[in-house]
């Protein structure tokens, strides 16, 4: 259940990358719940279909398109389809991401390139392709980053580089595109339950997970809905004077550790 009044995004159209699972899917569902028509982008059609079906079953409007955000031509086609079939484009959420653990000393150039390609280049491609439509009436972009952008983290040099690039790009685009009425912000989730990132990065045993949660100021991991509500706030009229900002939603995890999955 959202903490916001209903239909705060009525009449708006949103495009969400990484919309087939995890945080991206949660964001898409929340925006649709609040009245937005949603285009879901991702690489696995069956997952996009499942999320789209769930949104439509609850009375929302959603379509999906299998898209590799690293390919600008594919992204451009998806953006044009969004505007054509849903009528306009007001909101862009860049949530597509790649990650894996690897020591920097053994990380391959291709592995580094893959993560930077999905996270950083993919985010630029989507923002650039959406600019013409967003500038028609003004709009909002929110990119999903990570604490690795500013917090040294072992085994995550590739992710840190990509996310730091997103943080800088957010501020640059906010500066350049404000005159077009486009707000550009970033959300940094901390450890969030039921996400692919946590399945890949967090320890598997329950005892270690419990110890990690106790170390956090709020004593727990976050929920996908809490990230979705943070994004909803930033794209809503309530945040109409906010741009170039990074909103950290991490339960205080970055206050207590120089790497929440630090080697011990």
């Amino acid at each position: 259940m959202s903490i916001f009044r209903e239909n705060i995004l009525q009449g708006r159209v949103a495009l969400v990358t990484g919309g087939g699972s995890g945080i991206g899917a949660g964001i898409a569902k929340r925006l649709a719940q609040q009245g937005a028509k949603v285009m879901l982008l991702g690489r696995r059609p069956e997952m996009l279909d499942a999320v789209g079906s769930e949104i439509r079953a609850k009375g929302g409007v959603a379509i999906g398109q299998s898209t590799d955000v690293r390919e600008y031509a594919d992204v451009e086609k998806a953006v044009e389809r969004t505007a054509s079939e849903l009528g306009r484009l007001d909101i862009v959420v860049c949530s597509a991401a790649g990650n894996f653990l690897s020591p920097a000393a053994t990380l391959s150039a291709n592995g580094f390139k893959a993560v930077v390609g999905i996270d950083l280049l993919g985010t630029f491609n989507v923002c650039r392709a959406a600019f013409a439509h967003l500038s028609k009436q003004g709009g909002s972009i929110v990119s999903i980053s990570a604490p690795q952008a500013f917090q040294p983290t072992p085994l995550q040099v590739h992710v840190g580089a990509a996310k730091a690039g997103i943080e800088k790009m957010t501020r640059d685009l906010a500066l350049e595109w404000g005159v077009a009425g486009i707000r550009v912000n970033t959300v940094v989730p901390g450890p969030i339950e039921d996400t692919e990132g946590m399945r890949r990065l967090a320890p598997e045993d329950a005892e270690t997970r419990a110890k990690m949660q106790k170390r956090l100021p709020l004593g727990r991991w976050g929920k996908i809905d809490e990230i979705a509500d943070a994004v909803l706030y930033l794209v809503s009229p309530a945040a109409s004077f906010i741009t170039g900002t990074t909103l950290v939603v991490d339960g205080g995890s970055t206050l207590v550790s120089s790497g929440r999955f630090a080697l011990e």
Side-chain angles (χ1 to χ4, degrees), residues 219-243:
R220 65 176 178 85
W221 287 344
K223 302 175 182 178
I224 290 175
D225 281 348
E226 291 172 314
I227 304 303
D229 278 336
V231 172
L232 176 59
Y233 164 66
L234 286 175
V235 304
S236 78
S240 60
F241 201 54
I242 298 176
T243 194

Side-chain angles (χ1 to χ4, degrees), residues 147 150-154 215-217 250 252-264:
F150 51 84
Q151 182 183 57
T153 309
R215 291 179 60 196
L216 302 183
D250 71 343
S253 64
T254 53
L255 302 176
V256 298
S257 173
S258 63
R260 65 177 183 272
F261 303 121
L263 300 175
E264 295 181 356

Side-chain angles (χ1 to χ4, degrees), residues 124 128 131 168-184 243-244:
F124 172 78
R128 175 64 183 85
F131 173 79
K168 180 58 164 60
M169 183 166 62
T170 291
R171 294 190 290 275
D172 287 343
L173 295 183
L175 178 64
E176 288 195 34
W177 291 359
V179 68
I182 301 172
R183 298 185 298 105
V184 189
T243 194

Side-chain angles (χ1 to χ4, degrees), residues 28 51 219:
V51 176

Side-chain angles (χ1 to χ4, degrees), residues 2-254:
S2 176
I3 62 174
F4 294 85
R5 66 176 174 82
E6 293 183 359
N7 295 323
I8 196 171
L9 300 180
Q10 190 68 41
R12 306 289 182 88
V13 173
L15 180 150
V16 181
T17 73
S21 64
I23 289 174
I27 292 168
K29 294 173 189 177
R30 176 66 83 245
L31 301 185
Q33 180 189 43
Q34 293 297 327
K37 299 176 182 178
V38 180
M39 165 63 92
L40 304 163
L41 300 189
R43 286 183 288 179
R44 298 176 62 182
E46 67 278 9
M47 299 181 74
L48 299 175
D49 290 343
V51 176
S53 294
E54 184 176 344
I55 290 173
R56 291 188 293 272
K58 295 181 179 180
V61 176
I63 58 177
Q65 182 162 319
S66 178
T67 305
D68 185 342
V69 295
R70 294 171 292 186
E71 300 296 333
Y72 184 80
D74 292 349
V75 172
E76 192 172 37
K77 289 177 182 177
V79 168
E80 293 304 319
R81 182 186 173 200
T82 303
S84 174
E85 295 190 19
L86 301 182
R88 55 191 287 165
L89 180 59
D90 305 276
I91 297 165
V92 169
V93 180
C94 299
S95 183
N99 198 358
F100 55 88
L101 295 173
S102 177
T106 59
L107 175 64
S108 70
N110 283 338
F112 187 93
K113 181 180 179 180
V115 170
V116 171
I118 296 170
D119 290 43
L120 181 55
L121 176 60
T123 295
F124 172 78
N125 285 344
V126 174
C127 293
R128 175 64 183 85
F131 173 79
H133 291 285
L134 294 176
S135 62
K136 290 178 180 179
Q137 69 281 322
S140 179
I141 297 171
V142 176
S143 297
I144 304 302
S145 185
Q148 292 94 317
F150 51 84
Q151 182 183 57
T153 309
L155 313 180
Q156 293 281 272
V157 66
H158 45 319
V159 177
K163 297 302 189 183
I166 290 174
E167 298 271 342
K168 180 58 164 60
M169 183 166 62
T170 291
R171 294 190 290 275
D172 287 343
L173 295 183
L175 178 64
E176 288 195 34
W177 291 359
V179 68
I182 301 172
R183 298 185 298 105
V184 189
N185 294 291
T186 302
V187 167
V188 174
I192 305 299
E193 293 178 342
D194 300 322
T195 61
E196 183 64 23
M198 290 300 285
R199 284 188 285 273
R200 290 191 181 199
L201 304 180
E204 295 183 1
D205 64 286
E207 182 178 355
T208 301
R209 284 175 175 246
K211 288 180 180 179
M212 290 174 64
Q213 291 182 57
K214 288 180 180 179
R215 291 179 60 196
L216 302 183
L218 294 187
R220 65 176 178 85
W221 287 344
K223 302 175 182 178
I224 290 175
D225 281 348
E226 291 172 314
I227 304 303
D229 278 336
V231 172
L232 176 59
Y233 164 66
L234 286 175
V235 304
S236 78
S240 60
F241 201 54
I242 298 176
T243 194
T245 292
T246 295
L247 177 58
V248 180
V249 187
D250 71 343
S253 64
T254 53

